[in-house]
């Protein structure tokens, strides 16, 4: 089974109007959310609920900072590739990136931007819990993590509606979850 994880970059700063969009950093809320998501991912891995994917990250500063904070907080030493084409990529470009992945990769995480990430998830996730899919239809908040599973042997074979939405974790939901821990007994 293939696993595709989509991580939307965390909340970015808008306080410098002269700064190029590509160079915008995370704001304080984004830095906090990214660290929280990293600890959450570490817990998922400890419980066997998440693979160790190859990370493909947008070259935008806010995406790179998101991944660095997630990885540091979760102690995630995963292979990372920076991909400039992920910056503000549309669905067609994102599908192209996935279809071009080496056949030996079975678990990948894209760290990128909306609306492309949300549109990609809506295109690929043909099944999954209805409430989760409806929430995704409304919004993919900054810092959110999605997981889509495919009963396929390589990413080159993905097609519209060929995946199942398995996970939709939002930083706000994790902050509200006072039971967040690495315990697998939940």
């Amino acid at each position: 089974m293939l696993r595709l994880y989509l991580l939307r970059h965390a909340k970015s700063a808008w306080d410098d109007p002269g700064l190029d969009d590509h160079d915008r950093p995370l704001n304080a809320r984004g830095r906090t959310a990214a660290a929280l998501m990293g600890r959450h991912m570490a817990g998922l891995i400890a419980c066997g609920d998440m693979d160790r994917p190859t990370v493909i990250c947008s070259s935008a500063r806010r995406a790179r900072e998101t991944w660095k904070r997630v990885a540091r907080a979760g102690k995630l030493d995963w292979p990372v590739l920076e991909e400039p084409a992920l910056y503000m990529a549309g669905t067609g470009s994102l599908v192209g990136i996935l279809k071009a992945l080496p056949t030996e990769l079975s678990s990948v995480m894209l760290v990128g931007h909306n609306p492309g990430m949300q549109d990609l998830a809506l295109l690929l996730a043909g099944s999954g819990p209805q409430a989760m899919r409806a929430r995704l239809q409304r919004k993919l908040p900054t810092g959110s993590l999605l997981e889509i599973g495919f009963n396929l042997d390589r990413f080159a074979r993905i097609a519209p509606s060929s995946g199942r939405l398995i996970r939709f974790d939002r930083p706000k939901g994790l902050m509200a979850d006072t039971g967040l821990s690495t315990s697998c007994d939940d």
Side-chain angles (χ1 to χ4, degrees):
M1 176 182 263
L2 300 178
R3 298 280 184 198
L4 173 62
Y5 300 96
L6 301 176
L7 178 64
R8 184 176 175 203
H9 69 75
K11 196 79 168 163
S12 59
W14 289 89
D15 51 355
D16 184 351
L19 197 60
D20 184 71
D21 181 70
H22 189 270
D23 299 326
R24 284 191 297 113
L26 296 181
N27 66 16
R29 189 170 121 199
R31 291 188 297 269
T32 299
L36 180 65
M37 190 56 73
R39 291 189 297 275
H40 175 63
M41 286 185 200
L44 293 173
I45 288 174
C47 295
D49 291 337
M50 185 175 195
D51 298 340
R52 181 182 187 266
T54 295
V55 176
I56 304 172
C57 187
S58 163
S59 60
R61 180 176 174 184
R62 60 192 177 273
R64 289 181 290 116
E65 285 184 7
T66 295
W67 178 249
K68 284 180 185 175
R69 287 184 176 276
V70 165
R72 186 179 322 132
K75 297 179 175 71
L76 307 174
D77 185 23
W78 297 347
V80 180
L81 305 169
E82 188 175 303
E83 176 53 67
L86 274 178
Y87 174 64
M88 304 305 281
T91 308
S93 295
L94 294 170
V95 168
I97 289 167
L98 291 172
K99 286 183 173 267
L101 291 172
T103 57
E104 66 271 10
L105 290 182
S106 62
S107 183
V108 172
M109 176 180 288
L110 300 182
V111 182
H113 311 267
N114 250 9
M117 299 289 273
Q118 182 179 11
D119 292 344
L120 178 67
L122 291 170
L123 174 74
L124 296 178
S127 64
Q130 184 56 39
M132 196 184 308
R133 292 174 63 215
R135 195 171 66 206
L136 175 61
Q137 185 74 39
R138 288 189 301 275
K139 184 175 184 180
L140 177 60
T142 54
S144 292
L145 173 69
L146 300 174
E147 178 182 353
I148 303 171
F150 300 87
N151 287 321
L152 301 169
D153 63 348
R154 65 189 88 157
F155 283 102
R157 294 189 174 164
I158 62 170
S161 300
S162 62
R164 175 177 175 74
L165 185 61
I166 297 169
R167 173 175 310 286
F168 183 173
D169 296 334
R170 302 167 299 140
K172 186 175 182 179
L174 298 177
M175 289 177 198
D177 181 6
T178 56
L180 179 63
S181 71
T182 57
S183 170
C184 300
D185 296 333
D186 297 339

